[in-house]
Amino acid sequence: PLVTTKNLLLDAQNGHYAVGAFNIENMEMAQAVIQAGEESHSPLIIQTTPSTLKYASPSLFFSIVQSLAASSNIPVAMHLDHGASFDQCCQVIQAGYTSVMIDGSKLSFEENIQITKKVVETADCCSIPVEAELGTVGGKEDTHEVQDKDALYTNPERAKEFVERTGISSLAVAIGTAHGFYKGIPKLDFARLAQIQEIVSIPLVLHGASGVPDDAVRQSISLGICKVNFATELRAHFTDACRKILVDPDVIDPKKYGAAGRDAVKEFVKERILVCGSDGKV
Ligand code: 13P
Ligand code: ZN
Ligand code: NA
């Protein structure tokens, strides 16, 4: 069934595992993620970014996920990833989304608090949990490019104040991950994450997990990460599998390469679920 991220993340926090949050771009990717969750008996979060919501509407993506979730025996939440504005958060909630992120990380601390608080107050009315971000995840997410050298890590004291003043349900932290793939092996600031976890009691979120070694993901989960976001690797696996089929010029049926992409994403998501430790939890 369709659920909010509230209890998914609190259960993960209590059980010391994380729920994978998987970015989808089409119906096949939605099917793949939910099939992987069913076969692994794992809770799931499916999410779309603002650029994905320009490709097709929130209500269209929501209809696909709702239909799949309704006939599934695992809990599935539908989340707005990197929500860009108050209006956008309201729009997806009206479309049926059960969770939103407002990303004010590019704003000043006070402006970030203001916009986040406003989203929390409104989302609260429909019992929709809100994720927000403090500090900057590196790399490119959607159209917004962050220079690695400008990427500011989350300050633990600031994080505590931010959570208290906004009333958010989960906090995305910047500890050295970046969106997309990495040039070398990313170095995560685990000491900082441990400090954040010590003084912030709500579930923490890791962005930019594509390209992060499995051990580093596991270690961050042991330090309070309850939601891990995977986007780029799903797109890469989908497209690589399609491309292999499409080298044959006789292929004309979209079902043929769509099914290959879907299978590849499903296998990848099953592996990520094992790294998150959410298998067998439902
Ligand atoms: P990756 O593209 O590195 O997996 O990052 C995912 C993410 O943080 C989506 O918000
Ligand atoms: Zn992200
Ligand atoms: Na990444």
Side-chain angles (χ1 to χ4, degrees), residues 25-26 48-62 64 91 97:
E25 309 293 345
N26 55 29
T48 55
T49 63
S51 78
T52 301
L53 296 178
K54 276 189 210 154
Y55 181 66
S57 70
S59 59
L60 186 47
F61 277 109
F62 178 73
I64 292 170
Q91 195 199 352
Y97 278 50

Side-chain angles (χ1 to χ4, degrees), residues 82-244:
H82 293 283
S85 67
F86 173 79
D87 287 349
Q88 185 167 49
C89 291
C90 295
Q91 195 199 352
V92 304
I93 291 171
Q94 273 168 358
Y97 278 50
T98 58
S99 181
V100 295
M101 174 187 189
I102 176 70
D103 184 356
S105 62
K106 300 176 285 284
L107 304 172
S108 72
F109 183 65
E110 289 299 329
E111 286 169 336
N112 192 356
I113 286 180
Q114 263 177 38
I115 188 167
T116 301
K117 234 179 123 170
K118 193 174 166 198
V119 171
V120 169
E121 279 162 9
T122 302
D124 259 358
C125 304
C126 358
S127 304
I128 299 297
V130 177
E131 173 185 334
E133 178 175 324
L134 189 62
T136 310
V137 175
K140 185 174 160 52
E141 170 68 35
D142 258 12
T143 51
H144 167 64
E145 182 118 29
V146 181
Q147 293 299 315
D148 280 16
K149 62 179 181 326
D150 296 332
L152 299 167
Y153 288 5
T154 307
N155 175 291
E157 293 295 336
R158 284 275 172 144
K160 180 178 156 64
E161 183 184 344
F162 186 82
V163 169
E164 283 170 359
R165 288 175 61 191
T166 56
I168 50 170
S169 298
S170 61
L171 177 72
V173 293
I175 55 163
T177 58
H179 293 115
F181 291 123
Y182 298 85
K183 285 188 193 100
I185 295 172
K187 274 213 176 71
L188 305 198
D189 191 342
F190 293 116
R192 179 181 299 269
L193 180 57
Q195 287 173 344
I196 297 170
Q197 187 203 20
E198 212 164 277
I199 56 174
V200 172
S201 58
I202 62 171
L204 304 175
V205 181
L206 188 72
H207 281 246
S210 291
V212 176
D214 293 353
D215 283 351
V217 173
R218 287 196 193 94
Q219 194 172 346
S220 42
I221 294 168
S222 77
L223 293 170
I225 294 293
C226 304
K227 172 177 181 271
V228 183
N229 286 4
F230 300 96
T232 305
E233 280 176 318
L234 270 75
R235 296 197 286 260
H237 282 283
F238 184 83
T239 304
D240 283 349
C242 292
R243 196 179 282 123
K244 281 198 186 107

Side-chain angles (χ1 to χ4, degrees), residues 3-19 43-44 75 169 201-203 221 224-227 276-278 281-282:
V3 300
T4 76
T5 49
K6 185 85 188 180
N7 287 329
L8 282 194
L9 297 185
L10 291 176
D11 288 349
Q13 190 175 42
N14 289 328
H16 306 286
Y17 61 91
V19 181
L44 281 178
S169 298
S201 58
I202 62 171
I221 294 168
I225 294 293
C226 304
K227 172 177 181 271
C276 287
S278 63
K281 300 299 180 189
V282 292

